[in-house]
């Protein structure tokens, strides 16, 4: 029983120490000016998948894209006018 009690005390002490260390390491790291490289500027971060409009070259979120199947391939456009221009060519 004494062994178990000692084990529990050491275990909780290590747990608290580990939590304190994590807080100290990451808490100070985030508050300092040197923030790690942001990846939010990528077009993929809009929402899920993005497609490149073959007509105008802009990236469109899959939820907003105008899809058109041409033969075996499916194309995604930013607007219906882009799709019409692409199909007219
Ligand atoms: Zn377009």
């Amino acid at each position: 029983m004494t062994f178990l009690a000692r084990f529990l005390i050491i275990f909780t002490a290590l747990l608290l120490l580990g939590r304190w260390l994590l807080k100290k390491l990451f808490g100070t790291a985030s508050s300092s000016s040197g923030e790690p490289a942001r990846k939010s500027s990528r077009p993929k971060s809009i929402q899920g998948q993005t497609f490149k409009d073959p007509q105008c070259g802009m990236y469109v979120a899959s939820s907003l894209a105008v899809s058109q199947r041409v033969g075996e391939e499916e194309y995604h456009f930013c607007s219906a006018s882009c799709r019409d221009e692409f199909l007219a060519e």
Side-chain angles (χ1 to χ4, degrees):
M1 196 59 192
T2 46
F3 170 77
L4 192 72
R6 218 183 283 177
F7 172 79
L8 275 171
I9 288 163
I10 292 165
F11 182 77
T12 28
L14 281 171
L15 202 78
L16 286 168
L17 188 74
R19 211 187 280 180
W20 175 79
L21 269 171
L22 280 172
K23 203 177 176 183
K24 198 175 168 83
L25 283 171
F26 294 106
T28 50
S30 60
S31 62
S32 68
S33 58
E35 210 168 291
R38 283 184 165 208
K39 292 170 184 173
S40 57
S41 56
R42 284 191 303 174
K44 270 187 177 179
S45 66
I46 298 165
Q47 199 185 47
Q49 211 177 350
T50 54
F51 300 105
K52 193 180 182 184
D53 186 328
Q55 183 61 31
C56 68
M58 73 176 276
Y59 286 91
V60 198
S62 57
S63 55
L64 301 167
V66 179
S67 303
Q68 177 69 46
R69 183 169 282 277
V70 183
E72 290 287 299
E73 288 204 72
E74 190 164 16
Y75 296 96
H76 304 273
F77 304 91
C78 68
S79 63
S81 62
C82 269
R83 181 198 61 193
D84 293 343
E85 277 178 50
F86 182 81
L87 292 172
E89 283 178 6

